[in-house]
Amino acid sequence: MVLVIGVWGIIVRIQELSSNIWLGLVMSFLPLLMAQSVRAQEQQKEPTVITTIKRLSEIERPATNVSELFSQSSTPSSEVVQVTAVKANPTAKGVEVILQTTKGEQLQITNRSAGNSFIADIPNAQLRLPSGEAFTFRSEKPLAGVTEITVTNFDANTIRVTAIGEASSPTVELFDSDEGLIFGLTTAASIAQQQPQTQPTPQVEQPTNQTQPQQPPASSDEPIELVVTGEQDGYSVPDASTATKTDTPLRDIPQSIQVVPQQVLRDQQVTRLNDALRNVPGVITTLGTPGNSEGSSFTIRGFDSGTTLRNGLADPVGDRSLELSNIERVEVLKGPASALFGNGSPGGTVNLITKQPLATPYYAVEATVGSYSYYRGAVDLSGPLNDDKTGLYRLNVSYKDAGSFIDFAHDKNLLIAPVFSFAIGERTKLTLEGEYISADTNRLWLPAIGTVLPNQNGKIRRNLNISGPDRNDNYVHEDIGRIGYSLEHKFSDNWSLKNAFRAIFYHFETSALLPTSLDPDNRTLNRIFNQGQFDDEAYNLATDIIGKFSTGSIKHQLLFGFDLSRFSYESLFNNRNAAPINLFNPVYDRFLGESLGLQNNSSLTDALGIYIQDQISLSENLKLLLGVRFDAFKQTDGDLLANTESSQSGDAFSPRFGIVYQPLPPISLYASYSRSFTPVIGTSFDRSTFEPERATQYEVGVKADLNERISTTLAFYNLTRSNVLTEDPNYPGQDYSIQTGEQRSRGIEFNIGGEILPGLNVIAGYAYTDAKITEDETYTPGNYLNNVPKNSFNLWTKYEIQSGSLKGLGLGLGLFYVGDRQADLENSFELPSYFRTDAAIFYKQGQLRAQVNFRNLFDVDYFESARNILRVYPGEPFTVQGTISWEL
């Protein structure tokens, strides 16, 4: 009943804004003439497999050309055939593309060729891994005269095979084999390259685990390059959408971006965003205590990150009480991203990609128990809603009830996340998505003196709770509701439109005893009792038009879009004096005094952003990225007790450009320039409004695909944040500010991820970050930014036995190092470095998987971060969690 009432409340609130939303929808369809196509976002990637099969001439074929095969009669089948792999093999005259399936004779084919492109639709088939996940195949310049071959899921029950010719459509022969349906492609240019040779080139059978493709017989001055990419169920992800809002290979993006894929989340049993971000160099988690209501807190490249996206849309509460059971992967874009997403943190952007419906039925159940009374269960269900699979669903539900190593603390979390997708015709897809989270947590910290710093009375217990056992003395309750849609329409193979909307409702209430000061005896901690609540509402509407076209020999992928957003909140808080507590002999008596003051505030922010981006391919190995965005915003703040109100508006331009040069196909050298802005609300002494904070980044680096399964990035950057508020020196102590502050971060980042050897996967990175205050009236220039170590290192590696009686047994090892870092901007004290070791052992047999994870294996006593000298956050001690999962 509560859930129904909550959903009804969401509907009523949406109806109240219906006029504004419909206006946005009308605006979103005005630029249809500029529409362009974007690849559908993928889930998990399948390893590329390239083997040698029989030559076309050696196989008895039922048809010798496309026309004959299309003309053959076939009995329609309502069954959707699953194609479990796509392979590519060079031949003496061209290339073979194999759609691997045991039911090749059931495939129906429709010819949709046009212009220079061979296009074939297979309307009763889907690309699916054995695990049920979708994948995409792409081969760039597989032979002379063909620029690209793609095999994709066109809709819920159709595979589309496309071969784009340079001057004319390639010649295609199709036939069945024991492996599946085979497309044999040749062009006049490829045949010309294979003129009589003085000596035939011997054919070599490739092992099935070989990562390098077999090259065609050498007979021309230039060898034919065969590059194949596809979705993988592993540690390396070749594509991401966050950096460009298009599905672009990571090696073509002139900015550092890293993806934490589903397999890593599963192997580490990650349920919190902070734990996922440990795998990203340059990202430092600043809150490690499980069950702490402060949410997921982290810095990127030295700066606090408040920018969290969900499927590309801004999510102002994305780091609150996050449960990852419905998250497919985490994408992290380093550096400013205002050119696409508007105002945000200069350090980087975190984009959470949610799990999407599958056409093949998929059912998974998981149960976990662990240290400190940890219990968690999760269910993941997906499949079709109707026989023709035009309607799909996915439902993720999880519940956690856990204690903590800290006295009297608890952590409860319920998540319900349904998703529905509908294929409306051949070119339109509508996805409806919702989420509800209910969480109960605590506010947990300790003073620095007696933990990080020495105390003459001894050391404070790491598990001390300064509030007490009464739930009314320390609790946080949060409710988060999300509901929205995504509409994708393909006007053609080159132009598409995407329109998305999301509404977010957030309720927070708390009651906690907070520290105010420590007496000179360093035993007595003075406290206040803080009680209150606030409610947030956020609405986001975004429309993107993406298109591919050419101007002569130059190729373009153009993105044009705009977004509208509204964010509002209302808060009510009250503070009272409370009894102090003896840190070494605690007596939990709050003894409430008189109110210290009631606060009742509100805020409303409306924003509009318009952006354009062009990804330009000057040649096959030289690419440019140009983008610019204009933002306008208005914020109105109110004091509801004093019945006063103030408004402020502003605007900002945010450019970005970059260049990628590829001396060899697997190596990319890149350089980029980007800017960001963050609104600053308030006025100076002369009542002039503040300008937005700005950040400017210069970055150079190199990306390399060492093979089809492992990639690496090395980046160098210089990032400057300006217009930072600092005290007005002409009016010291009078709470007036000026924007002369400046902070600078520069550093080096390296990351590597993928499959090194069969069964051996790794995700690792190193970051050197030099983040300082360069100009300020309050803090000393040269001071280091707080919670930012100069050196940090992360490594997670997993090995799974591939054959024999122990097949399915695996081990995982994680090493995480964080160096010394300053605890505040005054640099008054330092948090010591720590080296944490994690481990895992798992065994999977068929649909069953058993796993045990060990965190902080050697029980290192460490501290994640600090807010000030009264608030430092202890890290998690040694914990064990065992998980049993079953999937079908």
Side-chain angles (χ1 to χ4, degrees):
M1 178 61 71
V2 174
L3 182 59
V4 172
I5 293 174
V7 173
W8 176 252
I10 291 174
I11 295 172
V12 170
R13 295 189 185 189
I14 292 175
Q15 287 176 338
E16 292 174 354
L17 295 178
S18 59
S19 58
N20 292 333
I21 295 172
W22 280 112
L23 177 61
L25 288 172
V26 171
M27 291 178 63
S28 71
F29 284 95
L30 289 179
L32 295 184
L33 293 178
M34 300 182 60
Q36 53 177 307
S37 133
V38 70
R39 293 187 180 94
Q41 193 137 246
E42 274 107 44
Q43 304 293 320
Q44 291 179 311
K45 306 292 178 186
E46 175 194 14
T48 299
V49 181
I50 299 179
T51 61
T52 301
I53 66 169
K54 294 181 179 180
R55 300 291 122 196
L56 297 179
S57 59
E58 298 175 308
I59 300 177
E60 182 178 353
R61 292 166 285 175
T64 59
N65 56 55
V66 177
S67 300
E68 291 177 5
L69 187 64
F70 286 145
S71 65
Q72 291 181 355
S73 61
S74 61
T75 302
S77 173
S78 60
E79 179 185 2
V80 176
V81 176
Q82 303 299 313
V83 174
T84 57
V86 179
K87 302 180 181 182
N89 293 323
T91 69
K93 295 183 179 181
V95 68
E96 298 170 347
V97 177
I98 308 167
L99 276 60
Q100 189 175 52
T101 177
T102 59
K103 300 179 180 180
E105 72 280 359
Q106 297 183 21
L107 296 178
Q108 307 165 22
I109 302 174
T110 302
N111 187 2
R112 298 189 183 277
S113 299
N116 295 341
S117 298
F118 164 78
I119 304 172
D121 282 354
I122 307 174
N124 64 323
Q126 277 282 283
L127 298 175
R128 294 288 166 188
L129 295 173
S131 62
E133 298 294 328
F135 68 98
T136 293
F137 171 94
R138 183 178 69 255
S139 175
E140 300 175 351
K141 291 192 70 65
L143 72 160
V146 173
T147 60
E148 186 180 68
I149 297 174
T150 60
V151 184
T152 63
N153 286 322
F154 181 70
D155 58 28
N157 60 353
T158 305
I159 293 176
R160 170 160 289 185
V161 180
T162 304
I164 303 174
E166 292 180 348
S168 60
S169 177
T171 300
V172 182
E173 295 181 339
L174 300 111
F175 49 93
D176 293 329
S177 77
D178 292 337
E179 288 194 84
L181 182 64
I182 300 179
F183 293 72
L185 286 80
T186 59
T187 64
S190 66
I191 294 174
Q193 283 191 343
Q194 307 296 331
Q195 292 304 314
Q197 307 173 40
T198 57
Q199 210 171 349
T201 302
Q203 302 297 318
V204 180
E205 186 77 16
Q206 298 267 3
T208 57
N209 62 351
Q210 191 76 13
T211 59
Q212 297 298 325
Q214 176 186 343
Q215 296 298 323
S219 62
S220 60
D221 294 336
E222 288 186 53
I224 299 175
E225 174 197 355
L226 182 62
V227 181
V228 182
T229 61
E231 290 226 348
Q232 294 180 336
D233 184 19
Y235 280 28
S236 177
V237 179
D239 304 329
S241 60
T242 304
T244 60
K245 282 199 170 186
T246 63
D247 221 7
T248 302
L250 296 182
R251 65 179 182 177
D252 291 344
I253 298 172
Q255 202 165 338
S256 180
I257 181 172
Q258 186 174 345
V259 180
V260 184
Q262 174 65 206
Q263 193 60 47
V264 173
L265 300 179
R266 184 172 186 177
D267 290 341
Q268 296 180 357
Q269 277 298 297
V270 168
T271 61
R272 301 186 305 150
L273 179 58
N274 268 8
D275 290 328
L277 294 177
R278 294 183 192 276
N279 298 287
V280 183
V283 179
I284 300 299
T285 60
T286 55
L287 185 63
T289 309
N292 201 317
S293 68
E294 308 266 329
S296 296
S297 179
F298 48 89
T299 66
I300 304 179
R301 290 187 170 175
F303 296 106
D304 290 335
S305 181
T307 308
T308 305
L309 310 175
R310 202 176 194 84
N311 295 333
L313 282 181
D315 192 327
V317 296
D319 60 345
R320 305 295 307 180
S321 301
L322 187 65
E323 161 66 48
L324 296 185
S325 59
N326 68 325
I327 300 300
E328 181 66 32
R329 65 183 183 273
V330 180
E331 299 181 357
V332 182
L333 175 64
K334 310 288 187 64
S338 289
L340 281 181
F341 303 111
N343 77 86
S345 169
T349 299
V350 175
N351 190 12
L352 306 171
I353 308 300
T354 60
K355 295 179 179 178
Q356 296 300 303
L358 306 174
T360 301
Y362 174 76
Y363 312 103
V365 180
E366 181 178 278
T368 303
V369 297
S371 305
Y372 306 106
S373 302
Y374 184 100
Y375 302 96
R376 179 179 179 272
V379 175
D380 185 359
L381 310 175
S382 188
L385 293 170
N386 51 10
D387 292 338
D388 60 4
K389 300 188 178 182
T390 57
L392 309 174
Y393 80 94
R394 191 155 192 173
L395 176 64
N396 278 272
V397 178
S398 66
Y399 179 72
K400 176 175 64 176
D401 188 343
S404 171
F405 67 94
I406 294 180
D407 295 340
F408 322 125
H410 63 276
D411 184 10
K412 295 182 180 180
N413 195 307
L414 169 68
L415 176 140
I416 303 173
V419 188
F420 302 93
S421 68
F422 303 93
I424 307 172
E426 293 185 351
R427 295 183 175 273
T428 306
K429 178 183 177 182
L430 175 65
T431 301
L432 306 176
E433 193 165 0
E435 182 180 84
Y436 173 73
I437 295 177
S438 178
D440 288 285
T441 53
N442 301 96
R443 302 170 78 174
L444 307 170
W445 47 68
L446 292 172
I449 298 176
T451 53
V452 175
L453 301 175
N455 187 321
Q456 71 271 21
N457 301 291
K459 189 172 183 180
I460 298 173
R461 290 187 291 113
R462 181 168 49 166
N463 60 334
L464 176 68
N465 189 326
I466 68 168
S467 292
D470 191 335
R471 180 181 181 275
N472 293 323
D473 289 344
N474 188 354
Y475 84 93
V476 169
H477 176 76
E478 298 171 279
D479 290 302
I480 304 175
R482 296 182 176 93
I483 188 169
Y485 73 84
S486 175
L487 178 67
E488 300 178 57
H489 178 72
K490 295 184 178 181
F491 297 93
S492 67
D493 291 336
N494 292 327
W495 293 90
S496 68
L497 168 76
K498 182 175 181 180
N499 175 258
F501 169 79
R502 183 182 300 124
I504 304 171
F505 309 99
Y506 177 59
H507 173 74
F508 174 98
E509 59 184 59
T510 183
S511 175
L513 290 159
L514 309 181
T516 57
S517 64
L518 186 64
D519 282 355
D521 63 3
N522 286 335
R523 298 179 63 92
T524 306
L525 183 69
N526 299 304
R527 304 177 298 173
I528 62 171
F529 182 69
N530 173 260
Q531 189 173 28
Q533 67 179 47
F534 62 81
D535 293 273
D536 294 348
E537 291 185 8
Y539 304 90
N540 287 285
L541 175 70
T543 299
D544 293 329
I545 294 177
I546 306 167
K548 296 180 180 179
F549 61 93
S550 298
T551 54
S553 61
I554 300 175
K555 300 176 183 178
H556 301 263
Q557 183 168 224
L558 185 69
L559 166 72
F560 172 77
F562 73 90
D563 52 49
L564 297 166
S565 66
R566 165 168 284 195
F567 175 72
S568 65
Y569 77 84
E570 182 176 331
S571 64
L572 176 63
F573 282 92
N574 185 26
N575 290 326
R576 295 181 181 183
N577 281 319
I581 187 173
N582 188 320
L583 295 171
F584 296 91
N585 186 23
V587 176
Y588 296 106
D589 181 9
R590 56 180 175 171
F591 183 71
L592 299 180
E594 294 297 323
S595 173
L596 298 176
L598 191 66
Q599 296 178 337
N600 191 190
N601 300 313
S602 67
S603 180
L604 174 65
T605 304
D606 290 306
L608 166 67
I610 302 172
Y611 47 92
I612 187 169
Q613 173 187 275
D614 193 6
Q615 295 171 258
I616 306 170
S617 296
L618 299 176
S619 63
E620 291 300 325
N621 64 346
L622 183 61
K623 301 175 175 68
L624 298 178
L625 186 149
L626 306 175
V628 66
R629 176 180 170 121
F630 172 77
D631 283 275
F633 63 89
K634 180 180 180 180
Q635 180 168 325
T636 303
D637 296 324
D639 185 331
L640 301 182
L641 296 177
N643 198 25
T644 60
E645 188 175 272
S646 62
S647 296
Q648 184 171 331
S649 59
D651 54 64
F653 277 95
S654 303
R656 176 172 73 152
F657 63 83
I659 184 171
V660 178
Y661 172 65
Q662 295 164 330
L664 297 172
I667 297 177
S668 298
L669 308 177
Y670 72 89
S672 65
Y673 165 88
S674 57
R675 298 197 72 193
S676 70
F677 80 97
T678 304
V680 179
I681 305 303
T683 59
S684 60
F685 176 81
D686 61 5
R687 310 308 297 171
S688 60
T689 58
F690 293 132
E691 295 292 324
E693 276 189 8
R694 301 305 307 237
T696 303
Q697 176 179 273
Y698 300 90
E699 180 178 331
V700 297
V702 56
K703 301 180 181 184
D705 294 331
L706 304 183
N707 55 44
E708 287 82 6
R709 293 184 176 90
I710 190 165
S711 59
T712 183
T713 300
L714 177 64
F716 303 81
Y717 67 90
N718 189 310
L719 175 57
T720 302
R721 179 186 178 195
S722 57
N723 288 350
V724 179
L725 287 183
T726 183
E727 183 182 55
D728 190 333
N730 297 318
Y731 305 94
Q734 299 186 39
D735 201 26
Y736 291 114
S737 299
I738 56 176
Q739 290 187 286
T740 59
E742 183 182 88
Q743 300 170 356
R744 187 262 302 148
S745 175
R746 59 177 60 153
I748 304 170
E749 293 169 353
F750 171 79
N751 70 268
I752 186 170
E755 187 178 25
I756 299 176
L757 296 170
L760 179 62
N761 287 270
V762 65
I763 182 170
Y766 165 79
Y768 171 81
T769 310
D770 182 19
K772 295 181 179 179
I773 297 172
T774 50
E775 295 181 20
D776 206 284
E777 299 294 339
T778 305
Y779 305 108
T780 304
N783 280 8
Y784 290 100
L785 300 187
N786 56 315
N787 296 311
V788 182
K790 276 195 173 182
N791 296 282
S792 60
F793 168 81
N794 63 277
L795 167 69
W796 175 266
T797 183
K798 178 196 74 170
Y799 177 71
E800 180 179 343
I801 298 173
Q802 302 293 292
S803 61
S805 59
L806 296 180
K807 180 180 179 181
L809 178 65
L811 300 172
L813 177 66
L815 304 174
F816 304 95
Y817 171 77
V818 176
D820 299 337
R821 59 250 187 249
Q822 295 296 325
D824 53 24
L825 291 177
E826 292 93 344
N827 288 188
S828 62
F829 69 102
E830 191 175 72
L831 295 177
S833 63
Y834 68 87
F835 192 99
R836 178 178 132 173
T837 303
D838 294 355
I841 181 170
F842 63 90
Y843 179 73
K844 59 182 182 180
Q845 182 68 39
Q847 284 76 43
L848 187 66
R849 176 184 173 109
Q851 179 171 333
V852 180
N853 286 81
F854 307 91
R855 296 194 178 95
N856 196 0
L857 189 62
F858 300 108
D859 198 22
V860 175
D861 189 355
Y862 70 98
F863 290 85
E864 289 275 7
S865 63
R867 177 171 291 185
N868 52 49
I869 200 166
L870 295 176
R871 299 188 188 184
V872 297
Y873 299 97
E876 189 177 19
F878 171 67
T879 59
V880 181
Q881 291 180 357
T883 302
I884 295 179
S885 60
W886 176 87
E887 62 180 14
L888 178 64

